[in-house]
Amino acid sequence: MQAVFATALLYIACVLFYQAHAKRSSFDALKNSVSLQWGVKIAAWCVALAALFVLARPQGWERGVPVWIALFMATGFASIFVGSLSSERHLQTGAVAFVGAAVSGLVMVTGGSL
């Protein structure tokens, strides 16, 4: 369950990184504001680091970091692929990842399994 939660968090981080770029952003406010772009990038790094701690705590740093890097590369590839197709779809998949992170996080907190 940690891998599902971390994958959803990393996909959210990739969507935030993608949207923080002035040329790719779907929002005019992000295109025009450098400080807002930096804020979104910082939020993306915070989400990515949260995913690192989700993976590294149960299995140790020796295994957690390589798994985090692999998942980050896979979600980054998927994010760029979807972003190249359509910016609207990119935001929609980010919203789906947000819901997936919320559901899997709640399942982890309650001790259940899917």
Side-chain angles (χ1 to χ4, degrees):
M1 187 54 62
Q2 287 95 1
V4 173
F5 184 55
T7 303
L9 287 177
L10 287 171
Y11 191 81
I12 292 167
C14 289
V15 169
L16 289 174
F17 280 126
Y18 188 90
Q19 294 296 325
H21 195 275
K23 293 182 181 177
R24 289 179 250 166
S25 180
S26 300
F27 304 104
D28 290 333
L30 272 173
K31 289 180 182 180
N32 300 328
S33 174
V34 175
S35 61
L36 192 56
Q37 291 171 5
W38 275 102
V40 171
K41 288 177 186 177
I42 290 171
W45 275 116
C46 290
V47 172
L49 290 176
L52 174 62
F53 284 105
V54 166
L55 288 171
R57 277 194 67 193
Q59 53 189 337
W61 291 98
E62 304 85 24
R63 292 185 183 155
V65 173
V67 170
W68 179 78
I69 291 170
L71 285 176
F72 208 176
M73 289 184 345
T75 56
F77 179 74
S79 174
I80 290 172
F81 178 73
V82 173
S84 68
L85 295 176
S86 168
S87 186
E88 279 184 23
R89 302 251 178 185
H90 194 247
L91 290 174
Q92 291 170 355
T93 58
V96 169
F98 184 78
V99 171
V103 169
S104 61
L106 286 174
V107 169
M108 282 176 35
V109 168
T110 59
S113 63
L114 293 178

